[in-house]
Amino acid sequence: MKDYLNATYGLKSWLLTRDHKRIALLYLASVTLFFFVGGAFAVMVRLELATPPADLMQPETYNKMFTMHGVAMVFFFLIPAIPAVLGNWLIPVMIGARDLAFPKLNLASWYIFMLGGLFTLWAMVTGGVDTGWTFYTPYSSAFSNTHVVTAALGIFIAGFASILTGLNFIVTIHRMRAPGMTWFRLPLFVWSHYATSLIMVLGTPVIAITILLVAAERAFGLGLFDPARGGDPVLFQHLFWFYSHPAVYIMVLPAMGVVSELVAAFSRKPVFGYAFVAFASLAIAVIGFLVWGHHMFVSSQSVYAAMIFSVLSFLVAVPSAVKVFNWTATLYRGSISYDTPMLYAFGFIGLFTIGGLTGLFLATLGIDVHVTDTYFIVAHFHYIMFGGTIMGYLGGLHYWWPKMTGRLYPEGWAKLGALTIFLGFNLTFFPQFVLGYLGMPRRYAAYPEEFQVLNVMSSAGATILGAGYLIPMIYFIWSLRYGRIAGPNPWGAVGLEWTTPSPPPTDNFEKTPIVTQPAYAYHLLERA
Amino acid sequence: MADAVASHHARHPALAHHFDDLGQQREAASLGMWVFLVTEVLFFGGLFLAYLVYRTWYPATFIEVSQHLDIFWGTTNTAVLITSSLTMALAVYAAETGDRRSLVFFLLATLTLGCVFLGIKALEYSHKFHEHLVPGAAFQWDGDHAERAALFMSLYFIMTGLHALHMIIGVGLMSVMTVLAWRGGFSPEYHVPVEVSGLYWHFVDIVWIFLFPLLYLISRH
Ligand SMILES: [Cu+2]
C-alpha cells in the first residue's frame, strides 16, 4: 500500500514536498544536526571546567564555546524541536485534516529555517561569536570583535520560520478541524501548540526587530543601544526578554502537550480536569508575556517594577502547577504501564517540578539578587529547557515513532537510554545548583579550587548524558530497517492519529473522519 | 486523492486539495493574513517603543531635528498613500463583482501610486544625504547634542526604511495580482488573493499614518 514515505521517491520529492509529515521529517533531520552542533560546544565547556584554571582554551575561546552552545541549542534546537517536528507531523492528523492550512508556506518555513541556520553556522566556522546567547548591548553592539552581525542575521531569519509555523498552526486549528472535532474535543497536545503559536506570532517579531537593530547598530555605527551616545542598553534588555522569557514557553508548552498525551495513554484514563489543562496553556501564554522583568532585577529597573514583575512571576507558576497536579491526579488509580514514553513523561514531571520550584526562588527578589549570574541560574534553566523540553521531545518521539515510521524501536534499549539520560542529566546539573548557591559565577573559564569536586561531578554527568543520547540515535536509525512492524495502534491508544495506518497515506485518512467522542475516551474504550 | 467533496461535484480549479470547499479556503487565507498583520504590529511595535523612549528622554532635540524633515513631501506622500488605499478598496470591490476591466485598472492605479510614494521617499532620502543628516561618519549637526540628533535620524531611517521595504513587497504583490487579474484568474467565487493583498496594503498605509505625525509633525500644533 502507498503511504506518505513511499508515495514518491527521490531527493526532489522530499525537498519540494508539501506534505506536512515529510516536512516534519526534514525538520527532524535539521534539528538533530543542530542538537549535535550545540552538544559539541557543551562538551568543550564541560571539558574546560573539569579543572579550575583556564588551561584547555583561552578565556576568549571559552566565551565563544558557551555562546555558540546557547545559540545553537536555543534558537535552532529547543524552539523548533517539538513544534516543527512533532507539531508539524501531528496537528493535522490529530484534528482530522489532510494537511496544514498553508502547505507551501510550511515548506518555505523549513527553507527559511535552514537559511538562518546556515548564516549562524557560517558565523561559527569563520570564527564564532562571544556575546552569550543573550547578545547584551553595548558589548554586542560596540565592543565584541566577533561575528555578531552574521549570527544575529541568522537568528533574525530563523525567527521568521518560527512566526510562519505559528501562523500556520493557528489557522489550521481554527479552520481545518474535521466534522465533530469541537474545541473541547481537541487533544491537549493541540491546545498547547495553539498557545505556543500565539507566543511565536506575538513574541518572535519583537526579538526579530531587536536583533536587527543590533546588527544595524554595528553595521552602520548607530548609537541606539550605546550609552556613550545617548542610547539605552537596558532598552535592549527589555525588548530581548519580552521575547526570550515567553520563548521558554515556546520550548516547554509543547512538551507539556506531549506529556498530557503520554500520561493519558499509559494510565488508560482521560486527563483529569481537561478544561483546566487546556486553559492553563493559554494562561501561561498570556501571563508569560508579563514577567520579563525578572531577568532584570539587577539592571537598574525601578524597585516597584521589580516588585510587580516578581509577583507576576509567582503567578505564572500557578497554571504550570495546575498541570502537574492534573497529571498526577490522572495517574491516580490508573492502570499504569512503564513503557519508554511514559518513563520520559515521569522524567519530565520530576525535572520540570524541580526547575519550576527553583524558578520560584528566582522570582523572589532577595534570593535572585544573591544568585544572579551564578550557576544556580544555569542549573535552573537547564532543568526547565532541557529536563522539560528534551524529556517531552524524546517521550513524544518514542510514542509516535511507530506511527511516523511504521516500525517499533527496541524497548529494552530504549529503557536503558531513558535511564541513562535521566541519571546523566541529574548528575550534570544538580551539582550546579550547589555551585551557584556557593557563589560560582557563570560564563568564566576559570574557578577557585574548592569548586572542583562539584564541577568534576558535573562534567562526568555530561559524559553519561552524551552517551545516553547516542543510544536512541542508534536504535532509531536501526529500527527504520530492522524494527518490528508496528501496526496502526501499537499502544492501544485513542486519538485520530491511531485510527489511520502506520505510516499514514499522504492525505492522512482514507476518508475524512467524523468525531463523536471527547479526547482520551479511554473509559469508553474499556467499557466497550 | 479521492475525498467526499470531489465525488459529489466538480472541484473548482483554484481549490487546493486539502480544503473541502472555497469558503474554507477563503476563511483560512484571510485569517492567515490577519495573524500575519498582528505579527507585523509587534514587529513595528519594537521600533515605536524605542522611538517613545528616546522622544521622552530628548524632547527638545527631537522637535528640532524633526523640523529638518520635508513636510511638503511628507504630506504629499500621505495623500498618495490614502488615495492608494481607496483604489485598493475599489479593486477588491471590482473583484467581488467580477468586473475584470475595473479590477485591472484599480490594481494598476494602486501599483502606480505605490511607486510614486517610493519615488518621493527616495527623493527625500537623497536630500537627507546631501544635508549630511544620514547617521554615521558623515553626519553633521550644528546644534547641541549631535548624538541625540543622530538617534532621531537613525529612528527615522530605520522606521521609514522598513516601511518602504513593506511598500516594495506590496508593489511586487500588486504586480502579480495585476497579471493574474489580466489573465482572468479571479471571479466573484474566487478572488481571495486580491482580498488578502488588499488587507496587507491597507496595513502598510496605516503604519505610515502613524509614522507621519510621529516623525514630521512633532512640533506643529
Ligand atoms: Cu524568564
Side-chain angles (χ1 to χ4, degrees):
Chain A
M1 212 201 91
K2 285 275 181 202
D3 58 56
Y4 79 103
L5 294 171
N6 65 17
T8 46
Y9 288 101
L11 193 62
K12 211 177 125 199
S13 79
W14 281 85
L15 293 180
L16 295 179
T17 183
R18 315 264 169 81
D19 182 349
H20 66 103
K21 301 182 290 303
R22 283 189 168 202
I23 296 169
L25 296 187
L26 292 177
Y27 267 114
L28 175 65
S30 337
V31 300
T32 307
L33 171 77
F34 283 108
F35 180 74
F36 281 101
V37 170
F41 291 123
V43 168
M44 302 309 285
V45 168
R46 280 324 314 171
L47 273 179
E48 169 56 57
L49 293 179
T51 54
D55 42 10
L56 180 67
M57 56 188 93
Q58 296 295 313
E60 290 77 16
T61 315
Y62 178 79
N63 293 348
K64 291 180 181 173
M65 291 302 143
F66 71 72
T67 300
M68 296 189 287
H69 165 66
V71 167
M73 285 300 195
V74 169
F75 295 108
F76 295 95
F77 177 75
L78 290 167
I79 286 176
I82 302 184
V85 178
L86 296 177
N88 217 338
W89 205 100
L90 285 162
I91 287 173
V93 186
M94 282 184 163
I95 67 173
R98 288 187 283 280
D99 206 321
L100 286 174
F102 308 115
K104 280 184 225 165
L105 196 66
N106 194 20
L107 181 64
S109 303
W110 181 71
Y111 278 101
I112 294 170
F113 176 75
M114 290 311 282
L115 183 68
L118 283 180
F119 263 79
T120 309
L121 285 177
W122 178 250
M124 287 171 176
V125 297
T126 52
V129 209
D130 70 347
T131 58
W133 76 277
T134 48
F135 289 92
Y136 264 25
T137 55
Y139 181 71
S140 64
S141 53
F143 299 105
S144 171
N145 287 319
T146 55
H147 296 264
V148 179
V149 174
T150 321
L153 285 179
I155 293 167
F156 174 80
I157 295 168
F160 285 93
S162 192
I163 291 173
L164 295 177
T165 301
L167 183 153
N168 223 334
F169 286 175
I170 290 176
V171 176
T172 304
I173 297 169
H174 271 278
R175 295 286 180 232
M176 311 290 286
R177 283 170 286 128
M181 181 54 93
T182 59
W183 281 89
F184 289 99
R185 283 176 180 170
L186 287 173
L188 290 164
F189 180 87
V190 178
W191 271 102
S192 72
H193 273 77
Y194 187 79
T196 308
S197 303
L198 290 178
I199 303 174
M200 286 170 154
V201 162
L202 295 173
T204 318
V206 178
I207 187 92
I209 190 68
T210 311
I211 210 96
L212 192 66
L213 287 178
V214 171
E217 178 138 352
R218 280 181 77 93
F220 305 114
L222 313 180
L224 286 168
F225 298 126
D226 183 358
R229 288 189 281 165
D232 182 11
V234 181
L235 175 64
F236 171 86
Q237 294 185 23
H238 279 291
L239 290 168
F240 180 83
W241 290 115
F242 179 81
Y243 166 76
S244 295
H245 180 83
V248 175
Y249 299 120
I250 297 182
M251 303 172 207
V252 90
L253 272 170
M256 290 170 152
V258 170
V259 171
S260 295
E261 301 299 316
L262 299 183
V263 166
F266 293 99
S267 36
R268 311 208 62 75
K269 275 178 67 192
V271 173
F272 179 83
Y274 170 95
F276 281 92
V277 182
F279 281 114
S281 290
L282 292 182
I284 289 174
V286 173
I287 305 172
F289 269 113
L290 305 174
V291 302
W292 78 88
H294 63 216
H295 296 269
M296 301 169 60
F297 285 157
V298 296
S299 303
S300 79
Q301 186 176 232
S302 96
V303 176
Y304 301 102
M307 279 157 62
I308 291 168
F309 279 124
S310 169
V311 170
L312 287 167
S313 304
F314 277 103
L315 205 64
V316 77
V318 174
S320 301
V322 165
K323 291 196 177 207
V324 172
F325 288 131
N326 284 26
W327 292 324
T328 32
T330 309
L331 296 172
Y332 178 67
R333 305 188 68 173
S335 46
I336 299 171
S337 43
Y338 297 89
D339 296 292
T340 310
M342 191 58 161
L343 295 185
Y344 281 108
F346 282 129
F348 176 96
I349 296 175
L351 301 180
F352 178 77
T353 304
I354 296 176
L357 288 175
T358 51
L360 292 181
F361 296 11
L362 297 171
T364 314
L365 280 166
I367 298 180
D368 183 75
V369 171
H370 177 62
V371 296
T372 284
D373 278 341
T374 68
Y375 264 86
F376 192 89
I377 307 282
V378 176
H380 157 71
F381 71 68
H382 279 92
Y383 265 80
I384 293 285
M385 287 154 64
F386 190 125
T389 309
I390 297 199
M391 290 290 153
Y393 177 63
L394 287 175
L397 211 52
H398 282 85
Y399 181 55
W400 286 294
W401 187 259
K403 179 54 62 181
M404 293 161 83
T405 64
R407 302 279 183 162
L408 292 169
Y409 54 82
E411 184 65 28
W413 284 102
K415 283 201 168 106
L416 178 72
L419 213 64
T420 315
I421 290 174
F422 184 81
L423 292 176
F425 173 83
N426 281 294
L427 186 57
T428 309
F429 291 104
F430 201 83
Q432 297 185 5
F433 278 123
V434 185
L435 281 169
Y437 194 78
L438 294 175
M440 177 170 162
R442 66 193 282 206
R443 296 184 168 175
Y444 284 89
Y447 56 84
E449 304 241 330
E450 65 259 34
F451 293 143
Q452 189 173 13
V453 173
L454 288 165
N455 268 299
V456 167
M457 281 168 75
S458 182
S459 292
T463 315
I464 298 174
L465 191 52
Y469 287 129
L470 293 178
I471 301 173
M473 180 80 190
I474 293 165
Y475 64 68
F476 272 146
I477 294 172
W478 175 89
S479 76
L480 290 177
R481 214 188 154 101
Y482 305 104
R484 282 193 294 120
I485 302 291
N489 192 359
W491 311 113
V494 300
L496 288 181
E497 76 266 35
W498 304 110
T499 63
T500 183
S502 310
T506 299
D507 274 354
N508 295 343
F509 299 94
E510 258 117 73
K511 74 190 225 285
T512 305
I514 293 169
V515 182
T516 54
Q517 284 181 340
Y520 316 115
Y522 288 100
H523 48 309
L524 305 177
L525 195 73
E526 309 297 315
R527 219 171 289 156
Chain B
M1 185 81 200
D3 66 55
V5 180
S7 54
H8 289 303
H9 47 83
R11 288 173 75 92
H12 191 283
L15 178 59
H17 83 286
H18 58 298
F19 290 112
D20 289 333
D21 52 55
L22 280 175
Q24 187 190 29
Q25 180 168 342
R26 177 183 173 170
E27 283 174 1
S30 93
L31 179 63
M33 183 48 87
W34 279 108
V35 174
F36 179 71
L37 296 184
V38 170
T39 288
E40 290 275 35
V41 169
L42 269 299
F43 189 69
F44 280 99
L47 287 175
F48 281 108
L49 179 74
Y51 172 89
L52 198 72
V53 168
Y54 296 123
R55 180 169 163 185
T56 316
W57 282 11
Y58 313 126
T61 315
F62 267 46
I63 288 173
E64 215 183 323
V65 195
S66 164
Q67 280 158 358
H68 285 71
L69 298 184
D70 197 322
I71 192 129
F72 171 74
W73 286 121
T75 314
T76 310
N77 251 351
T78 310
V80 168
L81 271 198
I82 291 175
T83 315
S84 80
S85 258
L86 175 69
T87 56
M88 185 70 237
L90 290 170
V92 173
Y93 179 75
E96 275 165 8
T97 51
D99 183 349
R100 186 166 73 100
R101 280 187 53 187
S102 314
L103 174 60
V104 172
F105 172 79
F106 284 121
L107 285 173
L108 275 176
T110 311
L111 196 160
T112 312
L113 289 167
C115 291
V116 170
F117 177 93
L118 286 169
I120 293 178
K121 205 71 230 159
L123 189 74
E124 281 191 79
Y125 280 177
S126 78
H127 288 165
K128 295 293 158 288
F129 183 76
H130 290 299
E131 293 163 26
H132 294 286
L133 283 174
V134 180
F139 186 78
Q140 279 173 23
W141 180 251
D142 322 324
D144 293 339
H145 301 305
E147 75 290 341
R148 296 179 185 177
L151 278 183
F152 179 89
M153 290 312 291
S154 303
L155 286 167
Y156 167 80
F157 277 106
I158 295 170
M159 292 169 103
T160 59
L162 272 182
H163 176 262
L165 182 68
H166 280 78
M167 289 292 299
I168 292 170
I169 294 169
V171 166
L173 217 54
M174 286 308 136
S175 317
V176 175
M177 290 305 129
T178 311
V179 173
L180 290 179
W182 179 262
R183 289 197 198 141
F186 302 121
S187 61
E189 303 84 61
Y190 174 74
H191 56 274
V192 65
V194 181
E195 246 182 301
V196 296
S197 307
L199 282 175
Y200 174 84
W201 190 268
H202 294 311
F203 169 81
V204 178
D205 283 6
I206 290 169
V207 172
W208 179 258
I209 300 299
F210 281 92
L211 289 179
F212 176 59
L214 286 178
L215 296 169
Y216 289 77
L217 305 180
I218 307 183
S219 56
R220 322 203 186 222
H221 299 288

